Amino acid sequence: MIKNLAKRCILAIALSITVAHGAPPGSSNPNGTWTLYIQDQQTNFAPARTIAVDVDSVRGPLDTSFKMCIGAGRANEGLRADWQDQLREAQRECGFKYIRMHGLLTDDMGVYKVDAQGNPIYNWQYIDRLYDFLISIHMKPFVELSFMPNDLASGSRTIFWWKGNVTPPTSYDKWAGLITNLVAHFQERYGHDEVASWYFEVWNEPDLHDGFWTGSKEDYFKLYEVTASAIKSVSPDYRVGGPATAIGQWDKSFINYCYSNSVPLDFVSTHSYGVKQGYLDETGNRGTVIDSDPNSVIGRMTGERKMIDASPMPGLPLHFTEWSSAYTPTDFMHDTCQQAAFILSKVKGAYQSVDSMSYWVFTDIFEENGPRMTPFHGGFGLINYEDLKKPAFYAFKFLNELGPQELANADSASWVCKGNDNAVEALFWDYTPIVPPKGMNDQQFYQREIQAKDIGEVELSITNLPAGSYSLKIYQTGYCANDVFTGYLDMGSPSQLTPTQVELLSKQSNGDPETMETIQIEAGRPFTRTFAMRQNDVYFC
C-alpha cells in the first residue's frame, strides 16, 4: 500500500507473473514435474514482465462477482459459535455478500415432521437462529433447498456423515406446502424487500445420480417446477433457479424445459472443480489430481455463459455456486500457497462471464466426511479449525481491497484499481501449477513442503500519480509468506496443536505487510518498482 501523506492518496500494489510451462528443446523431465526457464534476449527467451497503467485511463467499474457469494458445508454447522466467529471474520476481511450451504431442510435442522394423522408440522427455530445471525453481519442467504426431510422422503438413501436424504418426496403436494410455508415465514420475519434480494436454488447436483439425487432428470425437472411455483405463489418477485449441476450436462435441456413449459427461471446455477476426473468424494478417500490446463475452471465458466446466451433464454444470470481446485475436503493443495495463485488465476479468467462464483468453502468446520482429526487435512476452507488463515484467505482479502474503478491494463494476471478518493491498488501474481508426477495424486503429493523457485522479476509502472510523499506497504502470500501450512509442516505436522503452536502459526500468517517505506513521487514522473517473483507468489501493495 502506498499512501500519499499529504493528500491521503493510497496506492496498493499486488503483482503477478505467468510463466510458460515446459523446457527448452532437448531438456528432460524425469520426475514428471516442470522445470521453469526464464528466457533472456541473448537466447531469445522472454524479457521480464511489465505491468504498465495510467491512473487517468479507467477501464470501468470493477466486476466483483468473485465476492458475491461464499460456500459453507451444511446449515446445522452454522449454529456453532466458532463457525459464526469465522464467518464474521471472513465477511469483514473479504467482503462476501451471500452464503450458500447444504442441508437447510435436513432433519438436524428440525423443519418438518408429521403427526399421527400424517399432517405436516413445521418448525423454523433453527433456521431463524442461523438466518438472524447472517443478517446481523450484513450477509444474505443464497438459499439451497435441500435435502429431503425423512418424513417426506420416498426412500432411505442418504449421503455424507450427517445423512442428508437424497430421494424425491413421497408427495409433491406436501413438498410444495413445505416450500410455500417456509418462504411465507421468511417474508413475515424479514420482510418482502429483504427476501426479494435473496436467491432460491433448488437442490444440489441432481445430475450425480449415485450421490445427491436418486430420481431421474425428469424427476428433478418436476421437483424444480413444483418448487418454483410454490416460491412464486408467495411473491413473483422472489428469485428461483437451478439446476445446481456438478458438471453442467443437464443445463441446456433444463433451460429448454423451463422455456417450453413456461416454468419460472430467474438464474442458472452450476459447479466446477479444477481436477482431471471425478465429481464426488463422499468418504474423503478418493485420490484427486489437479488439472494444470490454464483453461480448467475458466473454460467451464466462459462456456456456460456462451451456452446460455445461445439458448431460448439469453441473458439469464449465471451463478457458479461451487468452485475450487478439488471437490474433496482431503486434497492438501487447498492448504498450500499454490491455492492463492490458483484462485486469482481462475477469477481473472472468468469473473466477467459470471454473476457470482462462490468458492467452496470459507471454513474447515465442514463435516461431510465427519469431523476431521488433524489441524490441516486438505480441507476446503479459507480458515482452519484453530482460526488460522490459509493463503487462499489472502487471495480473497486482497481482491476485496481493490478499489471500485479498474484501470486499463494489458497484463493478464493482475489488477490495478483506484477509488473515488484517488486511492490506487494493484494486485499481481504468478500461477505456475506444481503438479504431482505420474502415478501420484494430490493427497500424496501436497502433503509435504514444496519450495518455490525464483522465476524472474516484474516491473510495475504507474503514470500520472499526483506528486507527493507516499507510504508504501507491500503485502504478500506465497512460499513461507503468510503460508501457514508450510509453518505447520516445519513443526513436524503435529496431530494436535498446542496453544503455543497456534500462537506461533498465527503470528507467521497474520497478514501484516512484508515491508513499509516512505517514497517520493515527482510531478510528471511515473512510479516504478521491480519485484522479485517466485512460483505462485502473490503481491498486494
Side-chain angles (χ1 to χ4, degrees), residues 99-122:
I99 187 166
R100 172 188 179 268
M101 62 199 79
H102 300 324
L104 188 72
L105 306 179
T106 301
D107 276 11
D108 61 5
M109 292 299 287
V111 300
Y112 183 91
K113 288 288 184 183
V114 295
D115 63 18
Q117 290 73 43
N119 300 309
I121 302 171
Y122 305 122

Side-chain angles (χ1 to χ4, degrees), residues 292-313:
S292 61
D293 183 347
N295 201 44
S296 74
V297 176
I298 296 171
R300 270 280 290 121
M301 293 184 174
T302 58
E304 189 83 2
R305 177 74 270 161
K306 292 175 182 176
M307 182 277 294
I308 293 171
D309 289 344
S311 77
M313 303 179 73

Side-chain angles (χ1 to χ4, degrees), residues 307-436:
M307 182 277 294
I308 293 171
D309 289 344
S311 77
M313 303 179 73
L316 277 172
L318 172 60
H319 297 277
F320 271 78
T321 50
E322 290 184 26
W323 80 280
S324 185
S325 55
Y327 57 82
T328 177
T330 60
D331 188 320
F332 284 92
M333 182 173 156
H334 293 137
D335 298 331
T336 71
C337 59
Q338 184 172 232
Q339 188 74 2
F342 170 90
I343 290 168
L344 293 172
S345 173
K346 305 310 177 184
V347 168
K348 181 68 174 184
Y351 74 116
Q352 292 179 304
S353 296
V354 301
D355 291 86
S356 73
M357 46 195 313
S358 181
Y359 186 78
W360 192 252
V361 295
F362 84 91
T363 177
D364 278 356
I365 301 170
F366 181 95
E367 297 177 341
E368 286 184 354
N369 311 140
R372 311 315 296 167
M373 305 303 288
T374 56
F376 291 93
H377 47 267
F380 288 119
L382 305 176
I383 309 170
N384 91 327
Y385 283 163
E386 288 84 4
D387 303 327
L388 297 171
K389 297 172 182 175
K390 304 180 189 179
F393 179 93
Y394 290 103
F396 285 104
K397 177 178 170 61
F398 295 159
L399 283 167
N400 184 49
E401 293 180 358
L402 291 170
Q405 297 295 315
E406 182 179 354
L407 300 182
N409 175 13
D411 186 77
S412 63
S414 63
W415 279 279
V416 185
C417 299
K418 71 174 184 178
N420 297 326
D421 57 354
N422 293 321
V424 178
E425 301 84 31
L427 175 61
F428 63 93
W429 62 94
D430 167 71
Y431 177 50
T432 300
I434 305 173
V435 302

